[in-house]
Amino acid sequence: MVAYFLGILYGFHTGRALANCIAGAGWSFTPDANLFTSIPGVLHGNAAAGISGLHHAAGRLLLWSCIVLVELLMVGGLSFALKMAFDRWGPNRVQGMASRNEAEALLGRTRLRKVSGVVRPDLYGKKGRIRG
């Protein structure tokens, strides 16, 4: 949950940096001190909020387009990583291989001979013998 929140937060600022780079203001990422305080300004469409000395900041349309693009990529990547982690370490993961006794009980000769009439009714009759 924390990773999702931080991923969305950094995706927000990365989208803004991408928009400013496309607009010609250069790649400028938000300083750590302004990560949270600059969010309201960016929400109002100010691409220069929290960054000092930024000239020719991106417009609203470009800003929101880049933020949406980066956020979609971040959510998709984080969701994929979360699914991979749950497949590897989650409650429904594959627990391991069957033991030798379990494999014999399900796939061995004893079971095949027991169900031979069902497996090959043309060869083994109801009594389990080969018809001649």
Side-chain angles (χ1 to χ4, degrees), residues 8-46:
I8 295 212
L9 176 73
Y10 280 111
F12 201 77
H13 289 294
T14 304
R16 176 174 63 162
L18 179 65
N20 285 332
C21 185
I22 292 172
W27 185 266
S28 55
F29 204 72
T30 310
D32 290 341
N34 296 336
L35 279 179
F36 294 103
T37 58
S38 63
I39 295 289
V42 176
L43 287 174
H44 287 103
N46 182 7

Side-chain angles (χ1 to χ4, degrees), residues 111-128:
R111 178 168 167 87
L112 284 176
R113 287 193 176 140
K114 189 185 283 186
V115 296
S116 62
V118 175
V119 174
R120 292 292 307 260
D122 58 327
L123 290 179
Y124 303 98
K126 293 187 178 200
K127 298 184 185 211

